[in-house]
Amino acid sequence: MTKNAIVLGAGIVGVSTAIHLQRRGRQVTLIDRKDPGNETSFGNAGLIQREGVAPYGFPQQLGLLLRYALNNRIDAHYHLRTLPSQIAFLARYWWNSNARRHAIITRAYAPLIENSVVEHKDLIEASQAEGLIRKDGWIKIFRTEAKRDGALAEAALWQNEFGVEYDSLTPADIARMEPHMTGDFAGGIHWRDPWSVLDPHALTSAYRRYFESLGGKFVTGDAASLGPFGSGWKIMTAEGPLEADDTVMALGPWAAAATRRLGYSFPLGVKRGYHMHYAAKGNAVLNNWTLDAERGYLLAPMRRGIRLTTGAEFATLDAPKTPVQLDRAEAVARTIFPLGGRLDPEPWMGARPCTPDMMPVIGKAPRHQGLWFAFGHAHHGLTLGPVTGRVLAELITGETPFIDIAAYSPQRFNP
């Protein structure tokens, strides 16, 4: 008999997992409260970050921490009244970001990143989504020689250990690549390996259509109604109750609450982020996904317009929007590129699900049969969706995952 599977959460991780399970002979139902790709996967920088072998650590330098405490930056912002509830998570995040521990985490994390582009390539071709993809990397620009030289030294280490390819950019190179950009830049880095996505939501939608072409089904439902039933699981959906042998929780920032109902405790934090689309003035063109590294915002030439994305906001998941970082970033971005008017009626906001050791949770639930977890991808959810889907589907169906996923086990938080 064909085994049934439920995948809860229809972001890029959930849709990718559903595809890989359906390919392996499971009859899969994908469930979410909204249509696929409409939450965290909707708003991001649109990068498949093959260069991102080192997860984003917490600042260690006292001087930098004091500057962040002023709460006036683009790359980070916090809600003061909710900070006490986040101290435990932030303290563990800071501790894991120590240089020695961060290096160990990077080596464990890298296999996921190293396979990110090739696993997306598989699904991009299968879903006929090539028109959404560019394969010319992205650029990181610096305003000071010290920051440029430090980043280049780090890039050389990554190239040597992880095979990441890059070019060092002079100010003249930046001017050639971005003739409509102005500024006194000291240089930059062109990461050559990553791919970029012209419309992240459209990519998730293309993957959803491919999943349905394989025989999979999407229905609306609420993860709160999930519970054990016999030897499997049962959930209420818009089409009535549904039973399955296996359930995957790919619920992003909502995974903490969903797993808590089943007796698990994951120290899952959120880093909220914002984006806005802009027209370009006159005949100005932005050619590359471009990070203004020392200011902490990114400009991306997407289908809808030039998307400006912000850094991290530390706040509770359900707190009201406070897009002050976006306003700060827009003011700076207008000094280097001729942005026109805003194209969205209001800023978009999403929440990245983060663990204090900066690695996702991928694997079998420690205390339940047929329950599997895939969440906590932080800044790299889009990047790691397909590779996560593959390794988890391999584990569920009894195959040996093609990379070692022991470091991402849920048991590290729930022994």
Side-chain angles (χ1 to χ4, degrees):
M1 292 179 62
T2 299
K3 287 189 174 183
N4 295 333
I6 291 168
V7 176
L8 297 178
I12 191 70
V13 175
V15 173
S16 299
T17 303
I19 287 171
H20 279 285
L21 283 170
Q22 191 73 29
R23 281 179 167 181
R24 286 164 174 78
R26 297 297 173 96
Q27 183 54 54
V28 182
T29 303
L30 180 66
I31 299 175
D32 204 317
R33 294 175 299 178
K34 297 182 179 180
D35 280 344
N38 273 285
E39 290 286 3
T40 306
S41 295
F42 186 89
N44 53 66
L47 288 169
I48 302 169
Q49 286 191 258
R50 169 62 182 86
E51 93 297 340
V53 290
Y56 293 95
F58 197 91
Q60 299 290 292
Q61 302 89 348
L62 178 60
L64 183 56
L65 288 172
L66 291 174
R67 289 196 292 276
Y68 279 119
L70 297 174
N71 212 20
N72 59 5
R73 297 174 63 94
I74 295 170
D75 55 344
H77 180 71
Y78 61 88
H79 287 189
L80 183 59
R81 63 183 173 183
T82 62
L83 202 56
S85 66
Q86 299 177 316
I87 288 296
F89 169 82
L90 293 174
R92 293 176 68 178
Y93 182 17
W94 172 84
W95 188 86
N96 281 310
S97 299
N98 169 277
R100 182 184 64 82
R101 286 182 285 272
H102 191 264
I104 294 170
I105 288 168
T106 294
R107 293 187 186 97
Y109 185 70
L112 285 172
I113 292 289
E114 289 170 343
N115 289 281
S116 59
V117 169
V118 69
E119 292 303 318
H120 262 287
K121 180 176 184 292
D122 171 22
L123 300 193
I124 288 164
E125 292 177 351
S127 62
Q128 300 180 347
E130 293 92 337
L132 295 171
I133 305 301
R134 282 178 44 178
K135 303 177 182 180
D136 48 5
W138 64 284
I139 65 175
K140 194 173 185 177
I141 56 177
F142 299 92
R143 294 167 179 263
T144 64
E145 293 181 357
K147 291 292 185 181
R148 177 202 64 194
D149 293 346
L152 286 169
E154 187 174 55
L157 292 175
W158 292 352
Q159 183 181 57
N160 182 61
E161 186 167 359
F162 303 112
V164 175
E165 297 297 329
Y166 73 96
D167 296 314
S168 174
L169 302 179
T170 66
D173 293 329
I174 296 171
R176 174 180 51 81
M177 296 175 75
E178 294 296 346
H180 294 104
M181 188 173 288
T182 58
D184 188 18
F185 301 113
I189 295 175
H190 175 208
W191 298 111
R192 297 206 305 262
D193 300 310
W195 289 4
S196 48
V197 183
L198 294 167
D199 185 337
H201 177 251
L203 184 66
T204 304
S205 297
Y207 287 3
R208 177 256 184 101
R209 291 190 295 272
Y210 171 58
F211 162 67
E212 292 176 331
S213 77
L214 296 173
K217 185 177 182 180
F218 171 77
V219 299
T220 56
D222 191 337
S225 66
L226 178 76
F229 185 77
S231 60
W233 298 87
K234 186 175 182 178
I235 189 172
M236 289 301 300
T237 76
E239 298 182 9
L242 178 67
E243 299 172 23
D245 303 282
D246 294 288
T247 293
V248 175
M249 285 192 167
L251 291 165
W254 294 275
T259 56
R260 193 178 302 119
R261 284 191 289 269
L262 297 172
Y264 295 95
S265 179
F266 288 99
L268 199 67
V270 295
K271 293 182 186 179
R272 305 199 316 179
Y274 298 84
H275 82 225
M276 172 61 67
H277 294 98
Y278 299 83
K281 289 183 179 178
N283 63 349
V285 175
L286 182 71
N287 294 314
N288 295 274
W289 273 246
T290 304
L291 176 68
D292 189 349
E294 289 163 82
R295 295 296 184 269
Y297 67 91
L298 181 138
L299 295 172
M302 293 196 177
R303 274 185 169 180
R304 178 165 173 74
I306 297 173
R307 178 179 290 188
L308 185 156
T309 70
T310 67
E313 180 181 64
F314 294 92
T316 57
L317 181 60
D318 57 353
K321 289 182 181 181
T322 51
V324 293
Q325 289 162 286
L326 185 67
D327 295 335
R328 295 168 186 162
E330 179 182 324
V332 177
R334 289 187 181 279
T335 68
I336 69 166
F337 187 85
L339 292 175
R342 291 185 171 191
L343 299 177
D344 303 323
E346 63 178 272
W348 179 90
M349 184 194 76
R352 311 173 185 97
C354 306
T355 64
D357 65 3
M358 294 160 278
M359 292 191 293
V361 175
I362 305 172
K364 184 184 180 302
R367 296 188 293 276
H368 289 85
Q369 289 298 315
L371 182 63
W372 311 84
F373 298 144
F375 52 81
H377 293 77
H379 296 261
H380 288 150
L382 174 65
T383 295
L384 298 180
V387 64
T388 297
R390 176 178 169 181
V391 295
L392 189 58
E394 288 172 339
L395 191 65
I396 293 170
T397 56
E399 301 175 48
T400 299
F402 80 106
I403 59 173
D404 183 2
I405 62 171
Y408 324 129
S409 171
Q411 289 188 324
R412 73 189 195 271
F413 297 122
N414 290 267

